[in-house]
Amino acid sequence: LFGLGLGTTITFASSHWLLAWMGLEMNTLAIIPLMAQHHHPRAVEATTKYFLTQAAAAATLLFASITNAWLTGQWEIQQISHPLPATMITLALALKIGLAPLHAWLPEVLQGLDLTTGLILSTWQKLAPFALILQIQPLNSTLLIILGITSTLVGGWGGLNQTQLRKILAYSSIAHLGWMILVLQFSPSITLLTLLTYFIMTFSTFLVFKLNKATNINSLATSWTKAPALTALTPLILLSLGGLPPLTGFMPKWLILQELTKQGLAPTATLAALTALLSLYFYLRLSYAMTLTISPNNLTGTTPWRLPSTQLTYPLAASTAMTI
C-alpha cells in the first residue's frame, strides 16, 4: 500500500517524463501482490493479465517520451508539442486506465479480484494516468472525443449482458471514464468533479457488495435477509451511478452535456446522453434484483431489521451518505 501511494505521488509530482513513467511502474508493481494475495487461480490469472497490459502501456509511454525527447530535445511533460509522441502517450494512458477500445482487460481483471482490491483498481489506480492525461490534453482533441464516445458506448453495451457484479462495475467504470475524457479539453475542472463523484459512488457500491458478500446479481436478491436497512438505500447509490436526476450522479452528466453544447458539439452530447440510457438500464436491473424481488421464505427472512456491525459499518455509512 505504501508503494501504491508513493508511485501515484511520484507521478503527481513529476514534470519529467522518466519520473512520471517510474511512478506508474511503481504503481503497477505495488498492486500486483495485493491482487495475487489469495493464491486462487483466478486471482493469479487476473494479476498476470493486469501486469501484461500495464507493462505494455508503460513501455509504450516510455518509448513515446523517448521519441519526443529525440525529436524535440526536451523531457518536460507540459511542453510536449510533437503530434506523434502525443498521440502515442494518450493511447498508452488510455490503455492504462482502460478506455475503450483499449478496455478489454478491465472486466476480465476485475472479475478475478476480491472486492477490496477491485475497489483500489477502480479508484486509486486511475489517479496517476489521469494526472498525465490532464497535463497533455490540449494536443489531440479529436482522439480524446473518439475515446470518450467509444468508452461510453462500450460501457453501456458491455454491461447489459453481464450477471457478474464485478464485470458490471468494470463496464460502469469504462463508461464514467468516457464521460470524463469527453469534457477534459473544454473544462478540466468538470472532469475532476466527475472523477471525485465517481470515486465516492464507486466506494459505496463496492462496500455494499462487500457487506453482502455479493458477486453476482442472484446473490443481491437475498440481501434483504442480511441487511434490510442498507438494501433500501442501495438503489439510490446504484441509480446515482447511473446518473438519474435528482441524485448526485446526475450533476456531472448535466454539467458535461451543458459544456459540450456550449462548445457546439450537440451531436456528441446527444450520443453521450443516449449511451447513459444504456448504463441506466443495467443499474435499474441491479436495483430491481435488490429491492423488488422477494427472496424465498427462509428462517432469517422474518427476523427483525438490523444492521450487521462489521468494520465496514462506518466507512459504508459515511460514503453512502456522501453519495446520496
Side-chain angles (χ1 to χ4, degrees), residues 104-300:
W105 60 273
L106 184 59
E108 294 290 323
V109 168
L110 205 56
Q111 181 57 33
L113 306 178
D114 68 307
L115 289 166
T116 320
T117 321
L119 175 62
I120 298 177
L121 182 66
S122 305
T123 55
W124 187 260
Q125 290 299 90
K126 307 268 189 258
L127 283 172
F130 223 88
L132 293 177
I133 296 181
L134 210 59
Q135 289 178 75
I136 63 158
Q137 40 92 8
L139 274 165
N140 26 27
S141 44
T142 347
L143 179 63
L144 284 181
I145 287 192
I146 292 170
L147 282 170
I149 281 289
T150 323
S151 296
T152 55
L153 273 165
V154 166
W157 284 124
L160 294 180
N161 200 16
Q162 300 298 332
T163 56
Q164 296 294 328
L165 296 178
R166 283 166 294 187
K167 280 194 176 167
I168 288 182
L169 286 168
Y171 281 110
S172 133
S173 166
I174 295 168
H176 278 273
L177 284 166
W179 279 87
M180 290 171 218
I181 294 295
L182 267 181
V183 78
L184 184 63
Q185 50 195 320
F186 309 119
S187 170
S189 49
I190 293 184
T191 300
L192 290 172
L193 175 76
T194 318
L195 191 66
L196 185 68
T197 48
Y198 165 69
F199 276 9
I200 295 172
M201 296 186 298
T202 309
F203 197 70
S204 16
T205 317
F206 267 99
L207 287 185
V208 166
F209 291 164
K210 197 170 166 53
L211 191 74
N212 286 321
K213 298 187 175 55
T215 52
N216 58 12
I217 294 189
N218 296 347
S219 56
L220 281 181
T222 57
S223 59
W224 271 119
T225 56
K226 296 174 193 164
L230 185 68
T231 311
L233 284 178
T234 313
L236 287 176
I237 303 173
L238 289 169
L239 293 175
S240 185
L241 263 172
L244 199 68
L247 302 165
T248 322
F250 174 60
M251 169 191 57
K253 285 198 162 70
W254 185 14
L255 292 171
I256 289 171
L257 292 174
Q258 188 181 3
E259 187 61 41
L260 288 174
T261 323
K262 270 187 204 162
Q263 301 291 338
L265 294 170
T268 311
T270 314
L271 195 52
L274 289 175
T275 57
L277 291 177
L278 292 170
S279 300
L280 190 59
Y281 177 77
F282 62 81
Y283 292 121
L284 271 171
R285 226 169 87 199
L286 291 182
S287 313
Y288 179 82
M290 202 147 183
T291 50
L292 299 178
T293 48
I294 297 175
S295 84
N297 287 329
N298 51 21
L299 292 174
T300 49

Side-chain angles (χ1 to χ4, degrees), residues 23-82:
L24 290 173
E25 204 64 10
M26 286 175 66
N27 231 350
T28 305
L29 290 176
I31 199 171
I32 279 176
L34 286 175
M35 292 171 124
Q37 64 186 340
H38 292 302
H39 298 300
H40 190 279
R42 286 208 182 151
V44 176
E45 182 189 352
T47 312
T48 314
K49 286 177 177 169
Y50 181 76
F51 174 69
L52 290 173
T53 48
Q54 297 298 311
T60 314
L61 183 85
L62 186 61
F63 176 62
S65 48
I66 291 175
T67 311
N68 179 58
W70 177 43
L71 290 169
T72 59
Q74 39 89 25
W75 285 91
E76 287 292 305
I77 291 182
Q78 303 275 9
Q79 307 296 334
I80 191 163
S81 54
H82 199 282

